[in-house]
Structures are given as structure tokens and as C-alpha cells.
Amino acid sequence: MDQSLPSLLAHARAAARVAAEGIGSTPPIAIATKTTLSDLVTEFDVLAEQLIRAELAVRTPDVAVVGEEGGGELADLYWSVDPIDGTVNFAHGVPIWAVSIGLVREGQPVAGVVLAPALGQEFYAAQGLGAFLVVSKGGAASEAPRRLQVSRTPQLGTSLLASGFPYDLRDPATNNFRQWEAMHRASHACRRLGAASLDVCYVAAGWFDGFWELDLHPWDVAAASIVLAEAGGRLSEHDGGANWLLSGDVVASNGHLHDELLAALAATRRG
């Protein structure tokens, strides 16, 4: 089976080219809603995932595929695909979106790529081989791959954090408003990019020190999580548990401030 990083990068780049056609397209991008008015899907989400699935079916026919648009069944070995993470950004012309492809074996991500073509950023990693970033301009790499390492920020008070919000903001159990305000006060600042895969990769790159979110799906973080792990970071659920990939309850950090971040989030939920 062809599970190499160069092959993954090729699949993701092809999908990114398809998606990029939607930026500034005429006629405008066709948009539909899924579960809520803010849960969008565009024609390019569907086209990009179809392309990825077709390539994976040829190269790894015995490996299951689970994608945001096409669904699929979890297996001992499966591809986790988000053709456009950050669809709301994409649909509005905001360049913060990514193509994410991760390989999950026995519940653990083992390889992944996260490409943000409009930003010229390509993140990739494989278990035991490290995590890397390639910066590109006009589709061509402008520098050699840079090995990623998480930040050394030791405490929450001097950290830069990131988070996101679920599509259904009416549910107080998952809407994240209280945690957002509390973490903004507890840290140096918080940022919301609108693409969880990039949030986690930015922790891996040392640009963010931590990230938390609720109600995520495996395709949101499968690829990015191996990038973070290989960069020396830590992932868990909000209670410190290890089922974050399936529960959607994700806390990611540089590891140094992880326990303090968990405690701060827990205190907010109790408040």
C-alpha cells in the first residue's frame, strides 16, 4: 500500500487545486446548509473529497475512507478526510482553510498532511519521522522543509491560545462562550481562526501554545494531531482522557502548560 508522505501530499495538493478554483469563481460558489444555517457545504467540498477518495481507492483499495461529506465506517485502518476544513471561511473568501488527510491505525493517527494553499503552508508528519512545514509561493516551495517543535511557554498567563465554536451556538453545554471569556482573561490572548486543523498545526509550529474545542469530528483533527504529536505536543480530552479523536472533546498544547489549561477549563465549567 502506498501510504507515503509524498503520496499524501500529492493527493492533498490535487484536492487543494480543485478547491482553489472556487475562490472568486464566476458564477459564485454553490452553497448549501447541513445541520444549521452556519454549517455550510460548497460544491468544492464535494468535488475535492471525490477526488481524494478516487485517488485513495486506486492507491490503497483495502483501506477504508471516512470523510466529512461522504461519511464512511471506522475501521482498524482508515483515512480521515476533510476536503475543506474552514468551509465558512472558504465560502466568504477568507484564505484560512485547509485540506486535511490523516491515516488512523487502531484508533491512533499515524500520518497526516494539512495543506493551507491560500496561505502557502503545508504541514505533514508520520509517526516516528517528525513533523514538518513547507512554505510555498505560487505553488512552488520557497524554502526547505522546516522541522516543527512546540513552544516552550511554561504557563497559561503568558500563552497565546486558540479555540473554535460549534455550529449550534444555542446549546450552552457546547457553545464555548464561558470558556472563551475565561481563557481570554487567563492567557495573553485567544484567537479563533475557524479551522481546527490549522489551529492544532499552529500549536505544533509553536505559534499557538494551546487549543481547545468541543464537538469536533475525527476528520477535523486526525491529520493535525499527528503533526502536533511529532512536534512534541500533547492532546487529551478536557478531563485528561485519551478518547479525544472520537469524543470530539479536544485539548491540544505544547505540553508544558497542558495541566494548567485543563484545570482552568474545568474551573470554568464548574463556575
Side-chain angles (χ1 to χ4, degrees):
M1 292 188 301
D2 186 354
Q3 299 166 4
S4 66
L5 285 173
S7 179
L8 274 182
L9 283 166
H11 301 335
R13 285 169 180 156
R17 287 193 293 272
V18 169
E21 293 176 3
I23 298 297
S25 62
T26 303
I29 295 171
I31 298 174
T33 59
K34 292 191 282 190
T35 58
T36 70
L37 287 177
S38 59
D39 188 1
L40 304 182
V41 59
T42 76
E43 60 184 297
F44 293 94
D45 293 82
V46 177
L47 289 171
E49 183 167 320
Q50 288 174 343
L51 174 63
I52 294 169
R53 284 178 177 271
E55 289 294 324
L56 293 177
V58 171
R59 296 180 179 274
T60 57
D62 298 327
V63 181
V65 179
V66 179
E68 180 172 15
E69 308 309 332
E73 297 295 328
L74 300 182
D76 289 339
L77 184 66
Y78 68 93
W79 296 107
S80 188
V81 176
D82 195 341
I84 300 179
D85 182 26
T87 298
V88 174
N89 286 345
F90 175 83
H92 287 274
V94 178
I96 304 173
W97 55 274
V99 177
S100 177
I101 307 174
L103 182 65
V104 182
R105 178 182 290 114
E106 297 180 352
Q108 297 298 317
V110 294
V113 298
V114 178
L115 268 59
L119 301 176
Q121 298 168 350
E122 299 183 351
F123 298 90
Y124 60 91
Q127 192 173 50
L129 299 178
F132 298 87
L133 166 64
V134 172
V135 177
S136 62
K137 293 182 180 179
S142 59
E143 61 179 47
R146 176 167 68 86
R147 186 155 190 157
L148 298 179
Q149 183 67 41
V150 295
S151 72
R152 297 182 179 180
T153 304
Q155 58 191 18
L156 196 60
T158 56
S159 68
L160 180 62
L161 304 178
S163 188
F165 298 88
Y167 290 118
D168 186 0
L169 298 176
R170 298 168 296 179
D171 184 354
T174 60
N175 66 21
N176 201 21
F177 292 152
R178 291 176 62 189
Q179 289 87 354
W180 176 264
E181 180 179 2
M183 294 305 101
H184 233 313
R185 296 177 184 276
S187 67
H188 187 71
C190 292
R191 298 288 182 262
R192 192 272 175 104
L193 299 184
S197 62
L198 289 178
D199 288 323
V200 175
C201 284
Y202 284 14
V203 177
W207 303 338
F208 291 152
D209 303 301
F211 163 78
W212 84 97
E213 193 167 345
L214 298 164
D215 203 28
L216 292 171
H217 298 91
W219 50 76
D220 293 316
V221 291
S225 65
I226 185 64
V227 176
L228 177 60
E230 287 295 310
R234 179 179 169 189
L235 293 110
S236 77
E237 296 174 280
H238 281 64
D239 63 2
N243 194 40
W244 48 269
L245 184 64
L246 296 183
S247 72
D249 172 1
V250 177
V251 179
S253 81
N254 63 6
H256 304 297
L257 52 77
H258 199 90
D259 290 336
E260 186 182 2
L261 178 57
L262 292 180
L265 291 167
T268 302
R269 290 197 300 276
R270 291 195 299 268

